[in-house]
Amino acid sequence: MKTLQTRFGPVEYDPDQTIFFVQGMLGFEHLKHFVLVSAGENEFLFGLQSVEDTSVAFLLVEPGYYFPDYTCPLNAQQKALLGSDPEAELVVLCTITLHQDQSITLNLAAPVILDLKNKQAMQIVLEEGGYSSREPLPGHLTGSSS
Amino acid sequence: MLVLTRKTGQGIRIGDDIIVRILEEKEGRIRVGIEAPQKMRIFREELYNHIQQENLEASQWSAAELNQLKKTLISRTSDT
């Protein structure tokens, strides 16, 4: 096991069990190996920590939690690249952007597809479906009024 | 930047396995066909730049902001 010092705190990981990006995060395509970090008590909030550059990490959520109708069909090329077998369970995650004005948005236009079985991942860009790269996180500004 | 002049139907080869072909020119719009290996991602420049910028901003957060986000998501969950 190795340890990374990150914004999540120390992250222990097995170098043989990292997530490999067959197509990287746009703008960070030189970074191939990441570790999925659970972010505390929120089971639907994840951290994606770069192994190669500890200063790079993303926060992600499962978009289906907020947008039940969200779909991101993979084409045959993308499926082949990801190397998933037919029974593979693919996880779809969207990055969260925290803005200076405290607003929170999800990038529905460029989700991260993760195959938990073969530990390969890719960021894809959805040109159809009309998804925004800055979709406001539903309801977060209403607070806990209950 | 390398600058080449091409006529409609003519192409440009980049390396061994990329072909860019000018298909049509009409009223200032140029249709371009690209043949490239499947693993190469091809985007309109503005779309690429847009997602790249969003990723860059998404990568910039602090531990304090993460803690705030966790609280926000928990309160949101308990609301529903």
Side-chain angles (χ1 to χ4, degrees), chain B residues 9-79:
Chain B
Q10 292 182 328
I12 297 165
R13 288 199 80 112
I14 303 172
D16 290 332
D17 43 19
I18 299 172
I19 301 172
V20 179
R21 192 173 301 286
I22 308 305
L23 299 177
E24 188 184 25
E25 188 270 319
K26 204 160 77 181
E27 294 162 2
R29 287 166 177 265
I30 294 162
R31 282 167 63 83
V32 177
I34 301 162
E35 282 178 48
Q38 290 192 352
K39 65 174 184 180
M40 297 208 77
R41 287 192 280 189
I42 299 168
F43 297 106
R44 291 177 179 83
E45 184 183 29
E46 60 274 21
L47 178 64
Y48 181 94
N49 291 347
H50 182 69
I51 300 298
Q52 182 188 42
Q53 179 63 28
E54 196 58 41
N55 280 346
L56 183 65
E57 291 182 31
S59 73
Q60 292 165 354
W61 50 271
S62 67
E65 285 174 317
L66 173 58
N67 278 330
Q68 185 55 48
L69 175 67
K70 287 181 193 174
K71 286 180 197 157
T72 303
L73 293 182
I74 287 172
S75 67
R76 148 84 193 167
T77 313
S78 57
D79 276 355

Side-chain angles (χ1 to χ4, degrees), chain A residues 10-13 27 38 41 46 48 51 59-60 70-71 74 80 87 99-100 106 108 112 117 129-130 132 135:
Chain A
V11 171
E12 275 205 359
Y13 73 102
S38 101
E41 50 273 53
F46 299 91
L48 196 58
V51 172
L59 304 170
L60 305 103
Y70 182 75
T71 53
L74 292 184
E87 283 103 65
H99 300 273
Q100 289 193 343
L106 304 183
L108 298 182
V112 174
K117 213 166 165 186
S132 168
E135 184 68 35

Side-chain angles (χ1 to χ4, degrees), chain A residues 5-6 15 17 35 47 64 66 71-72 80 83 113-114 119 121 124 128:
Chain A
Q5 298 302 329
T6 77
Q17 293 289 317
V35 180
Y66 296 102
T71 53
C72 63
I113 316 297
L114 174 59
K119 297 212 174 280
I124 66 169
E128 286 162 27

Side-chain angles (χ1 to χ4, degrees), chain A residues 37-119:
Chain A
V37 181
S38 101
E41 50 273 53
N42 303 82
E43 70 240 21
F44 47 87
L45 176 65
F46 299 91
L48 196 58
Q49 172 64 52
S50 166
V51 172
E52 290 134 315
D53 181 348
T54 53
S55 73
V56 176
F58 300 93
L59 304 170
L60 305 103
V61 289
E62 293 187 41
Y65 185 82
Y66 296 102
F67 301 96
D69 296 334
Y70 182 75
T71 53
C72 63
L74 292 184
N75 62 36
Q77 294 174 14
Q78 290 164 332
K79 280 182 189 158
L81 259 180
L82 201 52
S84 301
D85 63 49
E87 283 103 65
E89 199 178 321
L90 299 182
V91 178
V92 178
L93 298 171
C94 289
T95 57
I96 299 172
T97 305
L98 305 176
H99 300 273
Q100 289 193 343
D101 64 359
Q102 310 288 310
S103 63
I104 302 171
T105 58
L106 304 183
N107 185 351
L108 298 182
V112 174
I113 316 297
L114 174 59
D115 180 340
L116 288 175
K117 213 166 165 186
N118 71 9
K119 297 212 174 280

